Amino acid sequence: MSLKSKSLLAPGHRGCAGCCDAMAAKFTLMAAGEDCIVVSPTGCLEVMTTPYPETSWEVPWIHSLFENASAVASGVDAALRAKGKLGKTKIIAIGGDGATLDIGMRSISGAFERGHDFTYVCIDNEAYMNTGVQRSGATPFNASTTTSPAGKVSFGNQRPKKNMPAIMVAHGSPYVATTSVGYPKDMIRKVKTATEVVGPTYVHAHAPCTTGWGFDTSKTVEIAKLAVDTALWPMFEIENGELTKVRKVKNPKPVEDYLKMQRRFKHLFTMEGGEAEIKKIQAIADKNIVDFGL
Amino acid sequence: MKITPGGVCEPGTTRVNKTGGWRTFRPIYDYDKCIKCKLCELLCPEPAVLPKDDGFFEFDYDFCKGCGICANECPKQAIEMVLEEK
């Protein structure tokens, strides 16, 4: 006899097969439990979980605009404070990298500066996937997207990824962590810790997108783990400005192992001069190893 | 369609949308190999892996989109992806 699933994210959502957003949302809800209020800006997660009049969320959930998830979360915090119900109900804003690093930057900065008691979870799939893979501030160096296509004049996105965790640390956040959907237990623990810490906390989850990055739907977790194993995605925790925990990488793998599995980096292996570009990406990984002591 | 004030949706209502029709490959358990590690249940993005009262799991084919993450990550290769037949 089968038992009922305990997940607070209901099936039937429109996420692609192998969707990283659905996984990240599921892990976040596993960490937060039933007593939480979730704010979601525009993005894949919002669109695919809530095609009106249906929703996958089994907890109170609000869709804000693209740019103001943190402002809405601030309002939820203020409302609970006014009603004298602060402290028990967890407030979570969960958005993609576009809504966090680019469009929602102003509102997340304001909410952290005002010190509202909420947790912001960024699901970083490194481009605007919902609208068709346009580059965002989180798109890594040399990735090909529809607005930074690789071709005769370019190897793809020419700028490095914006260092969002450092920006949140600079806001004086008591808890900033990076995690990955490839390590669900790590992600659940970090989101749980973040929701328990009083004050504005930030969790940045790396999330490989099968559609946008171009890999088989079964490889979401495998690629997420490779990003960590090649040191391109360091997983750490920063408490009150101090780096307290780092996930060590034993024998880091060469970045080629990670790059060659994805369509967005395919040009690096076929174009002339690609080898030199891969070396530049390896240098980013090597710098992470030194910077974080991986 | 009549829109409710505030555009309110009832929780968990996407269950009316049976996404199992998207599937190309169907996952099938080999219970002799399964060690009940629960990884498939944890990783399933739908979620379409349901626990059974004997500690094993079964797929909810109404919703499973056949992504194959469970089969790819299973430490004992206890899940096989088989082409769907119409």
Side-chain angles (χ1 to χ4, degrees):
Chain A
M1 199 188 95
S2 82
L3 306 168
K4 204 173 172 282
S5 171
K6 285 172 287 185
S7 175
L8 291 168
L9 188 77
H13 58 71
R14 272 69 159 176
C16 305
C19 176
C20 58
D21 270 15
M23 291 170 77
K26 185 178 143 183
F27 301 153
T28 301
L29 288 175
M30 284 169 87
E34 277 181 349
D35 194 3
C36 69
I37 297 173
V38 180
V39 182
S40 210
T42 305
C44 263
L45 183 66
E46 170 264 319
V47 168
M48 65 93 170
T49 57
T50 308
Y52 187 82
E54 296 161 21
T55 184
S56 293
W57 299 84
E58 303 261 26
V59 296
W61 178 90
I62 309 168
H63 169 225
S64 68
L65 300 173
F66 216 143
E67 66 276 22
N68 69 349
S70 307
V72 172
S74 305
V76 174
D77 177 53
L80 290 178
R81 192 185 300 267
K83 285 184 159 256
K85 287 183 179 171
L86 208 60
K88 206 164 135 269
T89 303
K90 288 156 179 159
I91 305 162
I92 295 170
I94 180 165
D97 53 293
T100 309
L101 279 74
D102 301 347
I103 301 174
M105 189 69 206
R106 170 193 50 77
S107 87
I108 188 172
S109 178
F112 272 59
E113 173 264 313
R114 293 188 301 271
H116 288 287
D117 184 10
F118 79 115
T119 298
Y120 196 104
V121 179
C122 169
I123 310 172
D124 182 4
N125 54 20
E126 305 191 324
Y128 289 86
M129 298 314 180
N130 180 38
T131 45
V133 204
Q134 290 85 10
R135 84 172 280 279
S136 78
T139 304
F141 180 65
N142 273 344
S144 181
T145 69
T146 50
T147 47
S148 65
K152 275 178 197 159
V153 293
S154 158
F155 283 100
N157 182 40
Q158 287 308 293
R159 296 291 302 155
K161 203 176 160 78
K162 189 191 281 186
N163 191 349
M164 189 66 183
I167 296 171
M168 299 334 287
V169 170
H171 280 76
S173 167
Y175 184 84
V176 173
T178 59
T179 184
S180 164
V181 296
Y183 294 89
K185 283 175 187 163
D186 181 87
M187 177 159 180
I188 292 166
R189 181 180 66 78
K190 282 172 179 167
V191 174
K192 197 164 190 296
T193 308
T195 55
E196 282 162 3
V197 171
V198 178
T201 52
Y202 182 78
V203 178
H204 195 124
H206 193 238
C209 169
T210 168
T211 310
W213 295 15
F215 56 82
D216 187 76
T217 56
S218 65
K219 307 285 183 196
T220 306
V221 172
E222 196 176 324
I223 291 191
K225 283 182 173 170
L226 270 172
V228 175
D229 290 343
T230 52
L232 280 170
W233 185 251
M235 297 216 293
F236 55 82
E237 283 167 272
I238 296 177
E239 290 167 72
N240 298 310
E242 294 289 328
L243 186 67
T244 50
K245 275 185 201 145
V246 176
R247 188 189 174 91
K248 299 274 179 190
V249 181
K250 275 183 206 159
N251 308 319
K253 291 180 178 160
V255 292
E256 283 96 331
D257 289 8
Y258 171 69
L259 304 177
K260 72 184 174 195
M261 290 181 77
Q262 305 171 44
R263 187 187 56 223
R264 63 176 181 159
F265 290 117
K266 195 178 160 208
H267 57 283
L268 297 177
F269 298 92
T270 53
M271 278 165 68
E272 210 175 304
E275 227 166 277
E277 295 299 314
I278 291 172
K279 281 202 180 103
K280 288 182 194 167
I281 297 174
Q282 183 65 55
I284 296 170
D286 293 343
K287 190 173 182 299
N288 283 337
I289 293 171
V290 176
D291 287 355
F292 295 98
L294 297 175
Chain B
M1 186 169 67
K2 204 168 174 242
I3 295 175
T4 56
V8 177
C9 308
E10 292 297 319
T13 36
T14 46
R15 285 194 175 87
V16 298
N17 183 40
K18 308 290 187 210
T19 50
W22 299 17
R23 197 169 53 238
T24 309
F25 290 93
R26 168 189 280 256
I28 292 173
Y29 276 117
D30 180 347
Y31 290 117
D32 292 336
K33 289 185 188 168
C34 175
I35 53 166
K36 305 180 184 175
C37 72
K38 302 182 181 175
L39 194 63
C40 48
E41 185 199 24
L42 181 64
L43 293 175
C44 180
E46 300 318 318
V49 176
L50 301 176
K52 296 203 297 176
D53 52 8
D54 60 0
F56 286 109
F57 294 89
E58 66 180 1
F59 291 107
D60 186 344
Y61 293 115
D62 278 351
F63 296 108
C64 170
K65 292 168 187 161
C67 69
I69 290 178
C70 53
N72 197 53
E73 300 303 322
C74 179
K76 294 286 169 189
Q77 285 81 46
I79 302 167
E80 194 189 349
M81 299 302 289
V82 182
L83 189 66
E84 281 282 351
E85 285 175 42
K86 283 277 141 65

